[in-house]
Amino acid sequence: MRGAVRVVLVLAVLGAGIVLPGTVAQACSCVAAGEAKYLQWADAVFYGEVIDREVRPKPSGADLPFGARVTYT
């Protein structure tokens, strides 16, 4: 009987996840601030043109929280 209740609860939770609409998740309030707010909050603003992009793979054995390193010129 307990096993049947668990199965029903798991199916109900999974079904609710499929039926209920999702919303956009944001890690902080600055995600959708807009360019004007970013410029207002910035300590420095650089204007220029990207002329080169170099993607370097993550060094083997490096303990970085993300993948490749990208250098823009």
Side-chain angles (χ1 to χ4, degrees):
M1 181 68 178
R2 290 178 82 169
V5 171
R6 285 183 184 167
V7 169
V8 169
L9 286 175
V10 167
L11 290 175
V13 169
L14 292 175
I18 293 170
V19 174
L20 297 176
T23 59
V24 176
Q26 297 178 352
C28 66
S29 61
C30 64
V31 172
E35 187 175 337
K37 275 291 188 196
Y38 294 142
L39 292 173
Q40 181 182 1
W41 295 337
D43 292 328
V45 177
F46 299 92
Y47 176 79
E49 180 180 341
V50 175
I51 58 173
D52 188 33
R53 178 177 179 257
E54 177 187 357
V55 179
R56 294 177 291 161
K58 180 178 174 179
S60 61
D63 191 24
L64 298 173
F66 40 81
R69 300 170 93 184
V70 181
T71 302
Y72 292 93
T73 305

